Amino acid sequence: MWSRVGRWRSRVGGSSQFFRQDSSPAPAWTALGAQAITIADSLPTGPDPRPGTRGPGPGVRQDRRADVPPPPRGGKRTNALCDAAPWPPEHRRGRPVVSERPAARTPRQELGTFLRSRRDRLRPSELGLPTAPRRRTPGLRRDEVAELAGISSTWYAWLEQGRVRTSAQVLRAVARALRLDTAETAHVLSFVEETQPEAEPRTWVSRNLLTLVQSMAPNPAVVLDPHWDLLAWNAGYAALLTDPARLPPKRRNLLWLVFRWDPARTLLADWEREACALLGQFRAQAARHPQDRRYAEVVEEVLTDPDAARWYERRVTTRFQPAVRSFRHPLAGELRLRYVKLAAVDEPGHHFLAYLPDDRATEEAVCRLSGTG
């Protein structure tokens, strides 16, 4: 080995002087690269120190960076030229490419992850399928779901991997095979890619919608954008919950109020059920826009709550259902309010949410709370 390296060195540099390699062991996968770097770094990079010479022999590399420090004595040799190179670290020789932030997920990948979680939830015995003694997957296999849905196993595998664009007909067949409920089926169908791009939602409320919100007084009313940020509200809403004007702009969000505003847990009579349902609705909407920064900000803030983090990890998905919500207000007492949610056709992405009294006692309490009774 030494004679072979010495002869190569003599041919390149024109000198018969032998040099010593680093004797420290290297992993097997870096042995060849480390040997090449050690040999290259051992070549003389400046004028020949011997007197009477004009400079380096033909083929010897010249050092173009005079500020490169020598390797520490007794330490492990490194490629100093690469370490001092001006190009980004991910392009340096011998270093793995590490991304500073994870790549943004696409809607197809979100759909595939959701289908995979529901496939793992099912058991073969629930569908009358035979159970093998050495079954590796906790739930159904991909080929079993594909057979139940009437599609090829390869196509379903690509669907879970987010590699294909599919139709509503195929997604309905997959939903039936996975025994999805109504809300989960609607969530899956929402990933059908539209030919027309969605319009950017407005960050302001029109005069007509603002007049409608104010005319609902004393009943609470509010306008939400797609991220559930509060854009407009009336005095009844501020009296029922809190005045959003007192909160920082980033915290004027319905989901933030439910999970991060402390009085919400006592104000909502059935906080756990209501909060889990709202988080499922928000998750279903945010999953279709994985690259939206505002969705990511709201989710990051809300998931600091342990309950929200647990439910979000389970991928609970729900949809809005008109129902009667009970409140325990510290000033008005017990309130029973019906949620009414309407979409603004002339303002895409905006929703009008009103709280209507469900009985006479609640109607009188709402009037007293807003100061009109």
Side-chain angles (χ1 to χ4, degrees), residues 115-295:
L115 295 178
R116 186 162 50 253
S117 66
R118 293 307 181 259
R119 175 169 60 86
D120 295 339
R121 183 181 62 179
L122 290 177
R123 295 296 179 266
S125 57
E126 299 176 2
L127 304 178
L129 298 176
T131 304
R134 296 183 179 180
R135 192 180 186 89
R136 294 184 299 176
T137 56
L140 297 182
R141 293 194 295 261
R142 288 176 176 174
D143 55 344
E144 293 173 339
V145 177
E147 183 178 357
L148 293 173
I151 59 179
S152 67
S153 58
T154 302
W155 184 266
Y156 181 77
W158 289 349
L159 183 61
E160 280 196 358
Q161 295 168 3
R163 299 170 56 186
V164 293
R165 174 180 179 178
T166 187
S167 63
Q169 181 180 1
V170 173
L171 291 180
R172 287 192 182 94
V174 173
R176 288 192 297 268
L178 295 176
R179 302 298 191 267
L180 302 185
D181 58 21
T182 305
E184 292 172 337
T185 302
H187 175 59
V188 168
L189 293 177
S190 66
F191 284 92
V192 177
E193 301 180 17
E194 303 290 343
T195 56
Q196 297 294 334
E198 296 183 1
E200 289 292 333
R202 300 177 182 176
T203 57
W204 49 272
V205 180
S206 65
R207 181 181 179 183
N208 293 336
L209 195 55
L210 183 61
T211 303
L212 177 61
V213 171
Q214 300 300 332
S215 65
M216 292 297 298
N219 298 324
V222 64
V223 176
L224 307 176
D225 73 351
H227 312 104
W228 292 15
D229 289 331
L230 311 179
L231 300 182
W233 56 90
N234 59 8
Y237 186 86
L240 176 64
L241 297 174
T242 185
D243 190 358
R246 301 178 180 178
L247 300 174
K250 292 294 185 180
R251 294 186 174 180
R252 297 173 190 172
N253 183 275
L254 179 59
L255 199 65
W256 186 93
L257 288 175
V258 172
F259 283 96
R260 303 295 296 152
W261 185 56
D262 294 336
R265 295 178 181 263
T266 56
L267 181 62
L268 292 173
D270 194 358
W271 178 87
E272 185 172 347
R273 184 176 64 87
E274 298 288 344
C276 184
L278 288 175
L279 183 62
Q281 297 176 35
F282 188 85
R283 196 190 205 293
Q285 191 165 346
R288 299 193 297 271
H289 307 277
Q291 300 180 0
D292 193 301
R293 293 185 178 180
R294 181 54 183 158
Y295 278 119

Side-chain angles (χ1 to χ4, degrees), residues 22-91:
D22 184 10
S23 60
S24 58
W29 62 275
T30 60
L32 182 58
Q35 180 180 353
I37 293 176
T38 304
I39 294 175
D41 289 342
S42 301
L43 295 176
T45 57
D48 196 329
R50 294 175 298 175
T53 58
R54 297 183 179 179
V60 176
R61 183 184 59 184
Q62 296 249 10
D63 188 4
R64 291 175 296 177
R65 294 181 60 91
D67 57 342
V68 176
R73 179 173 299 179
K76 186 176 181 180
R77 295 188 66 89
T78 59
N79 190 357
L81 287 177
C82 276
D83 292 341
W87 47 77
E90 60 269 18
H91 296 291

Side-chain angles (χ1 to χ4, degrees), residues 325-341:
R325 269 76 173 184
S326 298
F327 292 81
R328 296 194 186 103
H329 200 276
L331 300 179
E334 296 287 339
L335 301 176
R336 290 176 53 84
L337 299 172
R338 290 180 285 114
Y339 279 14
V340 178
K341 188 176 183 180

Side-chain angles (χ1 to χ4, degrees), residues 7 10 27 84 106 121 207-208 262 272 280 297 312 330 350 357:
R7 286 196 299 270
S10 177
T106 63
R121 183 181 62 179
R207 181 181 179 183
N208 293 336
D262 294 336
E272 185 172 347
E297 290 177 357
Y312 203 83
H350 290 178

